[in-house]
Amino acid sequence: MKHRQSNAVQHLTPRSTAYDKGKYGRLFPWLPPLGQDSDTMRLKMKKLADFLQKRSLIQDTNTNQPAGYTYLGQFIAHDLTFDNTSIKERQIDPENIHNYRTPALDLDCIYGGGPLAQPYLYEPTNEGFPSRFLLKQVQNKEKDGAYFWDLLRLENGIAVIPDPRNDENLFISQLHVAFQLLHNYFEAQNSHLPAEQRFYEAQKLLRWHYQYIILYDYLPRVLDHKIVTQINPIGHYGLHEYSNLKYYDWRNEPYIPLEFSGALFRFGHSQVREFYKIRPDQMIKVFDKTEGNAPSFMVNWMDFFDENGANLYQYINPILAPSMFSIPTNNNHQPINLAYHNLIRGLTLQLPSGQSIAKAMGLGKDILDRERLYKESLGDLRTNQFPEYRELDEDPDLTEFLDNTPLWLYMLLEAKIHGNGTYLGPMGSRLVAEVIIGIIQSDKTSFLNQDPLWKPEFIKKDPTPTYTMRDFLDMGNILDGARAPGLA
């Protein structure tokens, strides 16, 4: 299948973007930044973050969607982007940030360099080529003493994985384990093949199922379903319209837009609950297990990916859980205020305001200007979720953000107003859908290019197929958790 080539004219401005593999770029390189990164603007961002913190709620305000999709979104973000460029380098040249992930949904966050480059991630075999992930059995200290699978760890608790961010909390850590176990499941299905072929066949099947889940399960839950269908018609399997991409204009190689990584795909921060139920008599916070610490119990995914599970994710809106304003860090560093971090990141990356992008997209009456935001703020807490927003108009340091809203905050407001807090609004849905669908379309190894009519075996005979993350985990027999047989 031929790759779509852009015939659009590149905007030759000082902020024009690089399209080299591994690089970040911009969806709207001609738009000016929201403001200059200065001490004054940073103080305003701090004040805006403090304002958001005052609005935080301890009680959960749930949608009807399983909470596991919050952490599937985090996993997807880690699979796409990993930037270890210093803050100083970003300030000097934000266009030249290097992405240490391939701009593809290919699970390199679990595979790393593969068995030859990083053999310590895999089980040794007599055949000389490791084909299965190596995991560690740990004992459940809080119930029954049963064993479950955890990430491979050093003696000090540090996880041996390609991306340390996948050990930030219990749920992303156990989701990483789940993907490793699903690889091992596919590897076992091909026991008749030589080890090297078993590995690559399992890797291909895991990647394709993962991409399928993203296209037909994840995106329709968190984005406006009509917009997703316009770009990638759901139900017309095998029909993938490359010409439907208006803004993610990848050329010869895909890239990660700064608007996407620095703001738009950070909506999951508002989905995080303050407490999760992990068994009938126990609640935990998301950061009860932090990076470098082994978990003391496993996650039962029935409670996180089942429609009738115990945990649902919170509304997508500007009200974050209190934990998001004090995220623990290693090495005795100060906790991270995630709202301030996101606002400063947008400033450092010179992102445009939400209004300027919405205007560039021609969204017309859907644009959230000062008048619209003020009108929305007059409602009650239950229906509008954010009545205190009008207070910004009374603060001389913050009133400018009513017409010049940071992209991350604008996206959350748009989800609240246009998506009723259950999915992203017209700008966020369109751009997130285009980037993720475009990245899969641009990947020569994806199922869209290798075998466009491919479907998971589970649904091949179903004329109206549905396939969810719940089905995926159930297929690998890990829906009720990463149970291990125990030590001999």
Side-chain angles (χ1 to χ4, degrees):
M1 181 177 290
K2 282 183 119 180
H3 282 284
R4 172 176 174 267
Q5 299 294 317
S6 169
N7 56 8
V9 177
Q10 183 174 356
H11 297 268
L12 299 178
T13 72
R15 301 178 71 246
S16 63
T17 184
Y19 287 85
D20 298 327
K21 186 172 183 179
K23 293 288 187 182
Y24 286 90
R26 294 186 188 272
L27 296 171
F28 302 94
W30 63 93
L31 291 180
L34 173 138
Q36 294 303 312
D37 187 357
S38 65
D39 290 343
T40 299
M41 183 59 80
R42 284 177 173 252
L43 286 173
K44 290 182 179 181
M45 291 298 182
K46 178 63 169 62
K47 197 168 184 179
L48 182 56
D50 291 342
F51 173 79
L52 294 172
Q53 186 169 3
K54 292 176 183 176
R55 311 275 90 77
S56 66
L57 291 177
I58 294 178
Q59 67 267 28
D60 292 326
T61 53
N62 301 324
T63 62
N64 61 353
Q65 296 289 355
Y69 290 96
T70 303
Y71 299 98
L72 179 59
Q74 184 184 15
F75 185 89
I76 291 167
H78 293 178
D79 191 30
L80 285 173
T81 63
F82 184 52
D83 162 32
N84 67 356
T85 312
S86 73
I87 294 294
K88 182 178 179 181
E89 286 174 306
R90 292 190 200 121
Q91 290 171 331
I92 293 171
D93 185 7
E95 301 294 341
N96 203 35
I97 298 172
H98 190 82
N99 181 20
Y100 289 86
R101 285 277 171 271
T102 56
L105 289 159
D106 57 4
L107 295 171
D108 58 348
C109 66
I110 69 165
Y111 286 110
L116 297 180
Q118 294 177 292
Y120 49 84
L121 296 175
Y122 302 89
E123 290 183 8
T125 67
N126 295 330
E127 299 175 70
F129 191 97
S131 58
R132 297 171 61 85
F133 279 107
L134 184 62
L135 292 161
K136 181 181 179 181
Q137 293 185 28
V138 296
Q139 191 169 20
N140 192 333
K141 298 176 183 178
E142 301 196 10
K143 186 181 179 184
D144 303 332
Y147 286 85
F148 66 98
W149 294 113
D150 181 31
L151 302 170
L152 188 65
R153 295 180 185 275
L154 302 176
E155 289 185 5
N156 61 3
I158 298 297
V160 183
I161 51 177
D163 190 337
R165 297 174 301 169
N166 277 1
D167 193 36
E168 283 179 348
N169 60 69
L170 174 66
F171 309 109
I172 192 71
S173 172
Q174 285 278 284
L175 193 58
H176 188 112
V177 168
F179 275 97
Q180 290 178 310
L181 288 172
L182 284 163
H183 169 95
N184 290 354
Y185 165 82
F186 288 126
E187 191 268 353
Q189 303 306 303
N190 291 281
S191 58
H192 60 287
L193 298 175
E196 186 171 358
Q197 286 183 259
R198 287 202 307 274
F199 172 82
Y200 287 115
E201 182 65 17
Q203 184 184 55
K204 182 191 80 171
L205 287 172
L206 184 63
R207 285 173 171 171
W208 285 11
H209 280 80
Y210 168 61
Q211 292 164 359
Y212 198 98
I213 289 291
I214 292 170
L215 286 175
Y216 301 119
D217 182 30
Y218 176 73
L219 291 183
R221 290 179 189 270
V222 299
L223 307 183
D224 186 326
H225 190 276
K226 298 190 295 295
I227 292 175
V228 177
T229 305
Q230 289 169 6
I231 301 171
N232 188 59
I234 298 171
H236 298 78
Y237 294 88
L239 175 63
H240 303 282
E241 296 292 340
Y242 292 77
S243 61
N244 286 343
L245 303 183
K246 294 181 180 179
Y247 306 105
Y248 181 62
D249 199 8
W250 59 275
R251 309 247 170 152
N252 296 316
E253 297 287 352
Y255 66 98
I256 302 297
L258 291 171
E259 299 95 332
F260 175 86
S261 65
L264 295 172
F265 206 57
R266 292 172 176 258
F267 67 86
H269 296 160
S270 69
Q271 294 175 299
V272 174
R273 294 170 56 138
E274 184 69 2
F275 297 98
Y276 292 94
K277 182 178 287 188
I278 58 164
R279 56 180 63 101
D281 60 346
Q282 186 174 3
M283 303 284 285
I284 66 166
K285 287 189 175 184
V286 61
F287 295 111
D288 278 359
K289 189 213 88 70
T290 54
E291 182 180 337
N293 297 301
S296 58
F297 47 83
M298 71 178 184
V299 174
N300 186 332
W301 293 119
M302 283 285 288
D303 291 335
F304 287 84
F305 282 109
D306 190 89
E307 303 294 341
N308 300 312
N311 298 292
L312 304 171
Y313 65 66
Q314 294 202 141
Y315 285 114
I316 305 171
N317 63 31
I319 300 178
L320 277 63
S323 291
M324 296 293 98
F325 296 93
S326 185
I327 297 176
T329 57
N330 288 336
N331 303 321
N332 297 318
H333 291 160
Q334 287 293 318
I336 294 172
N337 180 326
L338 193 58
Y340 178 68
H341 173 81
N342 287 341
L343 293 169
I344 290 298
R345 186 169 181 81
L347 186 66
T348 303
L349 295 176
Q350 302 175 23
L351 299 184
S353 70
Q355 285 89 351
S356 62
I357 288 181
K359 289 175 184 175
M361 294 173 66
L363 293 182
K365 61 182 177 59
D366 289 332
I367 296 172
L368 303 181
D369 55 15
R370 177 183 296 259
E371 182 179 353
R372 180 68 184 273
L373 289 174
Y374 190 83
K375 178 182 177 182
E376 292 291 335
S377 74
L378 296 175
D380 61 69
L381 180 63
R382 184 61 187 165
T383 57
N384 284 286
Q385 299 285 320
F386 209 51
E388 297 89 348
Y389 200 77
R390 61 184 176 274
E391 292 178 15
L392 295 185
D393 204 21
E394 301 167 2
D395 190 320
D397 287 334
L398 300 180
T399 184
E400 68 179 273
F401 296 133
L402 286 167
D403 288 315
N404 195 38
T405 309
L407 182 56
W408 172 72
L409 178 56
Y410 184 95
M411 175 261 306
L412 296 180
L413 285 163
E414 190 191 55
K416 176 187 78 70
I417 293 168
H418 291 299
N420 294 318
T422 59
Y423 53 83
L424 296 190
M427 179 196 70
S429 289
R430 181 83 207 186
L431 298 181
V432 169
E434 285 207 13
V435 172
I436 291 183
I437 292 171
I439 282 172
I440 297 176
Q441 289 176 343
S442 69
D443 178 6
K444 297 176 184 178
T445 68
S446 74
F447 81 91
L448 294 185
N449 286 311
Q450 293 286 313
D451 189 357
L453 297 178
W454 177 87
K455 304 179 185 70
E457 192 71 32
F458 180 83
I459 63 170
K460 277 191 175 179
K461 296 181 181 179
D462 189 339
T464 57
T466 59
Y467 190 77
T468 68
M469 191 66 183
R470 182 193 188 282
D471 299 320
F472 194 23
L473 295 167
D474 195 29
M475 180 181 64
N477 198 30
I478 51 177
L479 183 59
D480 62 348
R483 302 181 185 277
L487 300 174

